[in-house]
């Protein structure tokens, strides 16, 4: 059987790919210590990354997963977390978020470079401590893309880069897992419910979910559902308390408002209601992807994919917005062009299926740590990292609140792998924004580990 042809790399990524290959000791910016990835890698940690803290919802699902028997490795809970004994390294690329805005600004090339750089960080040993660069971070044995936009735009690039560097590292993304979760809940026959995708503008523009759902449904012989999408402008930023999207502080807003042009929103609740209404009133139906035409008799919205890792943090707000929409249908005349909303809408959170796929990949590659293989229930401490603007970098431009200036952020060039206009530092409760600390209350397993993480 011929070897699988790796996906083609974006030419704009060539300088980064060559830079990594020519700095194999891992001490340069954006480089990998290749020696650390030789030999038995089972005791290395697992890498997880997102554009911010939203990916911590995926890590929470991984830490809590108990879907397999740790002795037999067969499906079935055994009372022991499936990843007991494993360590994790998490990266939140907070300085460069939101990833979903880059494609809408014609900067898909720069986004794809950022995504590969995230993987390079996880595989490398370099980060910044209080006194400058440090080189004591371990490499990782697998990478989980805990970001829908990064999966949609960067998965193929990451795998192609690994092949170029001759590194055998499993990469798991959330989009394929989310699509399989949708298909599992579709009826075997009869008309399927409409599936909504609430994600970033970038994820929706990629059509990654409609394609993956159509493919997964076809593989198991189920009818392909109608898929509608809403590319949210600002909900993820509002969840993280970004002042460009929500501002309740004193005095003038430190950065320009970046939410929807048609209105000014200033709370997570307002963003949730806006996006739900927009989804059903002006749906972007992915008919060109599924190859199937739908009419007004197609069942209404019955499933909602939380297509951004931030969104599971606000299920209550989204559920309330859906209920308001469903109740409004009882008293309002709904135009035929609108999508009806079922009385109960099932939320699809790709995180759990991503965790299951990670377990299967580690098992297949014989990469489970010895503690996990011995069925120990210990929970080694994980490490957490966050990117922040590097004010010392030449030419970097900052906003009034210390974040990267929006025009500067979007306008950066690819092909400068040695440049560090952002730097990665340890994530602790002290380095997290206050809004992010409040959100962590919904993630007890992750929160407990961050609180015990080493302080720099």
């Amino acid at each position: 059987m011929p070897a699988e042809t790796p996906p083609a790399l974006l030419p704009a990524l060539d300088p980064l790919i060559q830079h990594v290959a020519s700095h194999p000791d891992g001490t340069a910016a954006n480089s990998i210590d290749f020696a650390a990835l030789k030999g038995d890698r089972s005791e290395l940690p697992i890498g997880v990354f997102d554009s911010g803290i939203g990916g911590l919802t995926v890590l929470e699902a991984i830490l809590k997963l108990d879907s397999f028997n740790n002795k037999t490795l067969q499906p079935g809970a055994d009372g022991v977390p499936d990843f007991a004994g494993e360590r994790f390294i998490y990266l939140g690329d907070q300085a460069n978020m939101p990833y979903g805005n880059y494609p809408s600004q014609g900067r898909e090339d720069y986004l794809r470079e950022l995504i590969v750089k995230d993987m390079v960080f996880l595989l490398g040993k370099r980060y910044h401590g209080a006194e400058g660069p440090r080189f004591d971070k371990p490499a990782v044995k697998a990478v989980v893309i805990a970001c829908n936009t990064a999966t949609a735009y960067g998965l193929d690039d990451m795998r192609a880069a690994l092949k170029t560097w001759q590194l055998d590292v499993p990469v798991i993304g959330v989009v394929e897992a989310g699509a399989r979760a949708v298909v599992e809940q579709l009826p075997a026959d009869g008309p399927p419910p409409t599936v909504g995708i609430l994600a970033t503008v970038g994820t929706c523009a990629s059509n990654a979910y409609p394609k993956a759902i159509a493919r997964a449904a076809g593989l198991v012989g189920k009818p392909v559902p109608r898929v509608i999408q809403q590319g949210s402008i600002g909900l993820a930023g509002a969840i993280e308390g970004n002042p460009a999207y929500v501002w309740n502080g004193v005095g003038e807003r430190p950065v320009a408002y970046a939410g929807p042009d048609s209105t000014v929103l200033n709370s997570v609740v307002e963003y949730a209601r806006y996006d739900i209404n927009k989804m059903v009133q002006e749906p972007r139906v992915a008919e060109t992807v599924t190859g199937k035409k739908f009419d007004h008799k197609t069942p209404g919205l019955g499933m909602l994919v939380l297509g951004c890792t931030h969104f599971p943090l606000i299920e209550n707000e989204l559920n309330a917005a859906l209920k308001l929409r469903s109740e409004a249908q009882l008293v309002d005349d709904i135009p035929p062009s609108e999508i009806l909303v079922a009385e109960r809408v099932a939320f699809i959170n790709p995180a759990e299926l991503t965790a299951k796929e990670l377990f299967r990949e580690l098992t297949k590659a014989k990469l489970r740590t010895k503690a996990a293989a011995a069925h120990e229930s210990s929970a080694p401490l994980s490490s957490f990292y966050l990117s922040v603007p590097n004010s010392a970098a030449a030419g970097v431009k900052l906003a009034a609140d210390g974040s990267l200036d929006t025009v500067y952020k979007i306008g950066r060039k690819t092909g400068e792998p040695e440049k560090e206009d952002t730097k990665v530092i340890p994530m602790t409760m002290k380095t997290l924004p206050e809004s992010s600390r409040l959100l962590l209350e919904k993630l007890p397993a992750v929160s407990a580990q961050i609180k015990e993480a080493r302080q720099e």
Side-chain angles (χ1 to χ4, degrees):
M1 183 176 180
E4 181 182 350
T5 302
L9 274 164
L10 185 73
L13 293 176
D14 285 344
L16 174 60
I17 301 303
Q18 295 304 319
H19 171 84
V20 171
S22 60
H23 294 82
D25 67 353
T27 57
N30 297 305
S31 66
I32 297 171
D33 179 4
F34 281 80
L37 291 161
K38 303 297 183 183
D40 181 10
R41 294 173 288 131
S42 61
E43 297 307 307
L44 293 178
I46 298 162
V48 181
F49 79 87
D50 184 27
S51 60
I53 68 156
L56 292 173
T57 61
V58 176
L59 182 55
E60 181 82 4
I62 293 172
L63 292 172
K64 289 183 173 179
L65 187 72
D66 181 15
S67 294
F68 298 90
N69 185 298
N70 285 275
K71 293 182 179 179
T72 66
L73 305 181
Q74 297 302 306
D78 62 357
V80 178
D82 295 329
F83 292 94
E86 297 283 2
R87 290 182 298 152
F88 294 87
I89 291 180
Y90 181 87
L91 168 65
D93 190 15
Q94 187 98 355
N96 293 305
M97 76 165 296
Y99 278 7
N101 286 0
Y102 290 91
S104 64
Q105 298 294 322
R107 296 311 319 277
E108 179 184 326
D109 57 345
Y110 194 79
L111 171 62
R112 290 169 68 174
E113 184 181 83
L114 282 175
I115 294 164
V116 176
K117 283 181 178 178
D118 290 336
M119 178 181 69
V120 169
F121 170 79
L122 291 173
L123 293 172
K125 63 184 180 182
R126 191 178 194 273
Y127 68 99
H128 280 75
E131 304 301 323
R134 296 184 57 163
F135 308 99
D136 56 351
K137 184 191 80 63
V140 299
K141 61 187 176 185
V143 176
V144 176
I145 314 174
C147 173
N148 290 269
T149 303
T151 303
Y153 286 92
L155 179 61
D156 286 347
D157 289 328
M158 291 170 63
R159 288 175 174 167
L162 289 168
K163 284 183 179 290
T164 300
W165 297 325
Q166 298 183 345
L167 295 176
D168 182 19
V169 177
V171 179
I172 297 94
V174 291
V175 172
E176 296 294 330
R180 285 194 293 274
V182 167
V183 171
E184 283 182 3
Q185 295 195 33
L186 291 177
D189 51 29
T194 294
V195 177
I197 310 296
L198 180 59
T200 64
V201 172
T203 298
C204 290
S206 74
N207 275 322
Y209 268 106
K211 291 176 184 176
I213 291 169
R215 184 166 56 249
L219 288 173
V220 298
K222 288 187 175 182
V224 176
R226 172 173 60 184
V227 178
I228 60 175
Q229 301 189 94
Q230 167 61 13
S232 177
I233 303 174
L235 180 54
I239 292 169
E240 293 213 3
N242 187 326
Y245 303 100
V246 289
W247 174 245
N248 299 304
V250 178
E252 185 178 348
R253 191 184 213 115
V255 292
Y257 174 70
D261 293 335
S262 58
T263 185
V264 175
L265 307 173
N266 201 38
S267 72
V268 169
V269 170
E270 289 179 1
Y271 276 92
R273 290 177 181 175
Y274 176 88
D275 281 328
I276 292 301
N277 287 332
K278 193 86 169 174
M279 172 181 285
V280 298
Q281 289 174 350
E282 302 175 31
R284 192 166 81 85
V285 183
E287 293 177 339
T288 56
V289 175
T290 62
K292 183 177 180 180
K293 290 290 183 181
F294 300 95
D295 57 33
H296 66 281
K297 295 181 181 179
T298 302
L301 180 67
M303 278 192 259
L304 181 65
V305 177
L306 304 178
C308 172
T309 50
H310 292 70
F311 297 167
L313 295 167
I314 59 158
E315 280 194 20
N316 290 339
E317 289 86 346
L318 290 170
N319 192 46
L322 286 165
K323 283 187 175 179
L324 282 175
R325 190 70 204 167
S326 180
E327 291 168 357
Q329 294 167 178
L330 301 177
V331 294
D332 294 343
D333 291 329
I334 303 298
S337 60
E338 290 195 19
I339 305 295
L340 296 177
V341 177
E343 185 176 351
R344 290 186 179 181
V345 177
F347 287 115
I348 304 297
N349 180 359
E352 184 175 344
L353 269 171
T354 302
K356 291 178 181 178
E357 186 172 339
L358 173 63
F359 183 90
R360 294 189 189 100
E361 284 291 322
L362 292 182
T363 301
K364 182 173 67 175
K366 297 184 176 3
L367 285 174
R368 296 176 74 228
T369 184
K370 291 181 177 63
H375 325 306
E376 296 177 5
S377 59
S378 60
L381 288 181
S382 298
S383 300
F384 300 82
Y385 295 89
L386 193 69
S387 70
V388 297
N390 183 7
S391 58
V396 68
K397 295 182 179 179
L398 303 180
D401 65 345
S403 65
L404 289 178
D405 175 79
T406 301
V407 175
Y408 170 83
K409 181 190 293 189
I410 294 295
R412 290 173 292 177
K413 298 188 298 183
T414 59
E416 299 179 327
E418 70 289 339
K419 184 176 182 178
E420 283 187 300
D421 56 3
T422 64
K423 59 184 180 181
V424 178
I425 65 173
M427 177 196 295
T428 67
M429 288 298 181
K430 291 183 179 179
T431 57
L432 275 173
E434 182 180 358
S435 57
S436 299
R437 294 197 295 271
L438 295 174
L439 290 171
L440 282 175
E441 295 177 2
K442 300 180 180 181
L443 305 173
V446 166
S447 181
Q449 293 217 7
I450 292 179
K451 287 177 180 177
E452 295 186 32
R454 64 183 180 185
Q455 305 287 316
E456 288 294 325

